[in-house]
Amino acid sequence: MSLQMSALDPFEPRLRSLARIMIGFVFSLHGWQKLFGAFGGLGGAKPPLASMLGAAGLIETIGGALIILGLFTRPVAFLLAGEMAIGYFRTHAPRGFWPLKNGGELAVFYCFFYLWLSSAGAGPWSLDRLLGRKT
């Protein structure tokens, strides 16, 4: 069995950085929605900070910012993967098996993206790299 090199292989680290930045930004919007009531909040309101949704908003806002910056990427991504798994099994799974039908497809996507990122690292365009951390 021979290994073939894809034409995009040399670009993988930079594409990983780009994906990390964009997905981290979109993810952080969910935190802003919960924490600040942005984009109409949740049902027109923001949850109390001491509630599970309030804590999720704080984790998503701070975690999303750290992911965008590529700072402490591996541990933050692992924490966010866990948050998304908990969110999925607490909120979506009770509504049915299929993520597309129970509204959990984003939670599943973020969970597995962050799990992969916790293993792959931030990539070259990151504060982790600038500070000499393993990327």
Side-chain angles (χ1 to χ4, degrees):
M1 180 162 99
S2 68
L3 297 176
Q4 269 189 321
M5 185 171 165
S6 164
L8 293 177
D9 282 354
F11 301 100
E12 187 280 330
R14 289 179 293 262
L15 291 172
R16 179 173 10 122
S17 289
L18 184 60
R20 185 200 79 241
I21 293 164
M22 295 310 300
I23 293 169
F25 173 70
V26 174
F27 181 78
S28 71
L29 298 178
H30 293 278
W32 301 354
Q33 184 182 36
K34 295 174 185 89
L35 193 61
F36 306 118
F39 314 109
L42 297 177
K46 61 181 186 175
L49 188 57
S51 69
M52 285 192 72
L53 278 176
L58 189 62
I59 291 168
E60 291 164 8
T61 300
I62 295 170
L66 290 170
I67 291 293
I68 292 166
L69 295 171
L71 184 61
F72 306 115
T73 303
R74 290 175 187 263
V76 169
F78 190 75
L79 176 92
L80 295 178
E83 185 219 359
M84 288 293 95
I86 291 167
Y88 179 81
F89 286 109
R90 242 183 99 72
T91 304
H92 301 286
R95 297 181 197 162
F97 179 77
W98 299 107
L100 192 61
K101 291 190 82 175
N102 67 24
E105 67 275 8
L106 269 180
V108 171
F109 169 78
Y110 284 127
C111 177
F112 282 92
F113 173 77
Y114 286 131
L115 188 60
W116 169 75
L117 196 61
S118 71
S119 172
W125 300 335
S126 67
L127 288 178
D128 284 342
R129 173 89 179 242
L130 189 65
L131 298 171
R133 291 187 173 91
K134 187 176 179 188
T135 60

